[in-house]
Amino acid sequence: MVNIGNDWDELLKGEWEQEYYKKLRSFLVTEYKSRSIFPPADSIYNALKYTSYKDTKVVILGQDPYHGIGQAHGLCFSVQEGVVPPPSLKNIYKEMQSDLGITRDMDSGDLTGLARQGVLLLNTSLTVREGMAGSHRGKGWEILTDRIIELLDKKQTPVAFVLWGGNAKAKAPLIKNPIHKIFSAAHPSPLSAYNGFFGCRHFSKINEFLVKNNLTPIDWSR
């Protein structure tokens, strides 16, 4: 049984008894015992812990956690305090500065301050082996995270869904409620950022969407 500590517990309580999750849990127990897995086991559900269902106003979808030592802590694109931002996050910071004129600390990649404002930083796969990107895909995480997206789609307050890159864009069919809005662009990775991520101005556009719907905008500098 997973204990998140907010309204996600009630919403997801049926998932922990599903056969796919039992298989996933068994797989994870073996993985954590025998390999170096990220994030630490107690940080797997940090995205949900920091951002309750009720408070979610923005969803940023990532792929899987960073696979370097000391980086991942359960929030997509974010790294633990004191860890230098990886290249994709540096590009996110650059776009924030270009779009909003804000300058974030380039020595800190911790996005917890956004999560606490209602930005759900959700990876589609919540764990990964050290040095092996995508190594836990197809093990059951996507069933759970698709369910989370479907639940958010049922919210009666508007949500901004941010889909950067092909993996995230593939989730667009799950978002059907017309009160929500999808913001899609290329992935902020150095390999693709110049193909439409830079200049997308998503941060200001998201805030415009929130204000239009009588919701408090995000302070992207926090």
Side-chain angles (χ1 to χ4, degrees):
M1 173 64 91
V2 175
N3 181 30
I4 294 166
N6 56 34
D7 51 9
W8 284 113
D9 285 320
E10 180 65 23
L11 289 162
L12 295 174
K13 65 181 182 181
E15 297 303 306
W16 318 132
E17 300 305 318
Q18 297 293 323
E19 193 61 30
Y20 84 86
Y21 187 79
K22 291 179 180 178
K23 290 180 180 179
L24 172 61
R25 181 176 174 79
S26 178
F27 167 75
L28 291 174
V29 168
T30 301
E31 286 284 277
Y32 273 94
K33 284 181 179 178
S34 61
R35 298 175 180 270
S36 182
I37 304 299
F38 303 126
D42 61 359
S43 299
I44 292 174
Y45 293 100
N46 273 354
L48 302 179
K49 289 179 179 179
Y50 288 140
T51 313
S52 69
Y53 180 82
K54 176 177 68 70
D55 290 340
T56 299
K57 298 185 288 189
V58 181
V59 180
I60 297 180
L61 280 184
Q63 199 157 327
D64 54 4
Y66 294 119
H67 51 79
I69 295 172
Q71 292 182 305
H73 64 139
L75 307 177
C76 76
F77 293 107
S78 180
V79 289
Q80 298 188 55
E81 186 60 49
V83 177
V84 175
S88 291
L89 183 52
K90 285 183 177 178
N91 285 340
I92 289 172
Y93 284 2
K94 288 177 184 176
E95 179 60 23
M96 284 181 179
Q97 183 170 17
S98 173
D99 184 13
L100 299 170
I102 61 174
T103 302
R104 289 192 62 117
D105 181 0
M106 292 300 283
D107 291 324
S108 174
D110 186 353
L111 302 181
T112 303
L114 299 183
R116 296 194 186 282
Q117 295 181 70
V119 181
L120 182 66
L121 298 168
L122 183 69
N123 280 313
T124 55
S125 180
L126 300 189
T127 54
V128 70
R129 291 176 182 171
E130 179 183 352
M132 297 179 65
S135 49
H136 282 185
R137 288 181 211 158
K139 301 298 184 181
W141 279 129
E142 294 86 352
I143 301 173
L144 176 64
T145 52
D146 280 2
R147 177 64 178 146
I148 290 168
I149 296 168
E150 289 168 349
L151 287 166
L152 288 163
D153 185 56
K154 293 178 180 179
K155 280 197 70 162
Q156 295 307 302
T157 52
V159 175
F161 287 88
V162 182
L163 311 181
W164 293 330
N167 182 267
K169 290 177 183 178
K171 303 299 181 180
L174 300 174
I175 305 161
K176 302 172 183 177
N177 189 334
I179 69 170
H180 305 317
K181 187 172 179 66
I182 294 174
F183 296 84
S184 64
H187 194 277
S189 160
L191 297 174
S192 56
Y194 287 95
N195 293 330
F197 175 76
F198 287 136
C200 69
R201 301 189 63 242
H202 278 175
F203 305 105
S204 61
K205 290 176 181 178
I206 289 166
N207 278 352
E208 289 169 6
F209 169 74
L210 295 176
V211 170
K212 180 181 176 182
N213 286 283
N214 300 310
L215 296 169
T216 305
I218 305 300
D219 180 354
W220 296 102
S221 68
R222 287 168 53 192

